[in-house]
Amino acid sequence: DADVTQTPRNRITKTGKRIMLECSQTKGHDRMYWYRQDPGLGLQLIYYSFDVKDINKGEISDGYSVSRQAQAKFSLSLESAIPNQTALYFCATSEPSGTGDVGKQFFGPGTRLTVL
Amino acid sequence: GESVGLHLPTLSVQEGDNSIINCAYSNSASDYFIWYKQESGKGPQFIIDIRSNMDKRQGQRVTVLLNKTVKHLSLQIAATQPGDSAVYFCAENHEYIFGTGTRLKVLA
């Protein structure tokens, strides 16, 4: 079984709808992340969480919210979806690097979201 | 090489040749670096890492070189194979920015 799973894998929705993307992990990591990737571009950090009580905004948090329901679960919500939120969304987990903030990350398979 | 904010640079390499993918970083405090490989339609996957107390680290067919003086990182892939075709990202432990990555195309 995959260590980091994301549901749904694909979603098409309409402008103004509320959408939730879910992420679960069996790696036992405290740290979890949500990234967005647009075609031909790199990953942009939306939110990250170092433990259940610690949630932090990333580069592009506007229009998004998150919930860390448990160590193993981290959900991303789009309160009112808009077309420019059409993208590939990745969840990731990591252990601490031991020397800094970000260690080796393990990514889920991604959710392809289309907002019409 | 990789730079934040630019569209994806592409490196085309003949099958069997060696590939070199470059990455520049800006944070002098960074002391742990990671290379990821992202195949089409999949999430990035860890390839190799290196700590700042090393200049070179070798894996299976891959080598990472670190030049702290000029803040430069490179990934070398020996005997490049079609399965190496992907986008490669570098990352550092004090930043969450992956940059645009470099697309490696392996020519038959």
Side-chain angles (χ1 to χ4, degrees):
Chain A
D1 287 339
D3 295 318
V4 184
T5 57
Q6 293 183 233
T7 56
R9 294 295 312 279
N10 289 282
R11 180 72 184 266
I12 300 174
T13 191
K14 294 182 179 180
T15 298
K17 293 291 186 181
R18 185 178 186 273
I19 296 297
M20 179 180 286
L21 309 182
E22 300 190 2
C23 177
S24 293
Q25 53 115 345
T26 59
K27 299 193 74 67
H29 292 163
D30 287 326
R31 300 181 174 195
M32 298 187 73
Y33 311 81
W34 274 105
Y35 290 91
R36 166 183 172 153
Q37 187 175 38
D38 294 289
L41 298 180
L43 299 163
Q44 294 177 283
L45 182 66
I46 307 172
Y47 271 94
Y48 61 102
S49 170
F50 281 0
D51 64 41
V52 175
K53 297 180 181 178
D54 179 43
I55 305 278
N56 304 279
K57 292 183 177 180
E59 307 168 71
I60 55 163
S61 58
D62 287 348
Y64 301 95
S65 63
V66 290
S67 172
R68 185 80 185 268
Q69 301 96 322
Q71 186 205 40
K73 295 184 182 298
F74 192 34
S75 301
L76 176 72
S77 294
L78 286 67
E79 298 301 325
S80 179
I82 56 177
N84 78 359
Q85 290 178 312
T86 293
L88 195 53
Y89 290 85
F90 289 104
C91 173
T93 74
S94 78
E95 296 175 340
S97 71
T99 58
D101 293 333
V102 187
K104 184 191 309 181
Q105 295 191 50
F106 298 85
F107 288 81
T111 293
R112 187 171 299 279
L113 177 66
T114 303
V115 184
L116 302 176
Chain B
E2 179 180 326
S3 297
V4 174
L6 300 179
H7 279 275
L8 203 61
T10 298
L11 173 67
S12 295
V13 174
Q14 204 69 35
E15 182 179 353
D17 287 351
N18 297 335
S19 304
I20 300 176
I21 300 170
N22 297 303
C23 179
Y25 65 95
S26 58
N27 191 337
S28 299
S30 297
D31 51 15
Y32 175 59
F33 303 88
I34 306 167
W35 279 100
Y36 293 91
K37 173 185 180 182
Q38 185 179 23
E39 296 176 88
S40 181
K42 297 183 179 179
Q45 185 177 20
F46 170 84
I47 304 173
I48 191 168
D49 57 2
I50 188 169
R51 296 201 178 275
S52 60
N53 60 354
M54 302 172 70
D55 296 324
K56 178 179 180 179
R57 189 168 189 212
Q58 288 186 290
Q60 187 176 15
R61 281 201 309 117
V62 294
T63 301
V64 56
L65 299 178
L66 176 62
N67 185 330
K68 296 180 287 293
T69 302
V70 295
K71 299 191 185 68
H72 184 268
L73 197 65
S74 68
L75 177 72
Q76 300 180 359
I77 303 173
T80 310
Q81 301 171 0
D84 295 326
S85 293
V87 176
Y88 291 82
F89 295 97
C90 65
E92 52 183 304
N93 67 318
H94 287 291
E95 302 287 344
Y96 301 100
I97 299 172
F98 278 65
T100 54
T102 297
R103 182 181 301 282
L104 176 64
K105 284 189 176 179
V106 181
L107 308 173

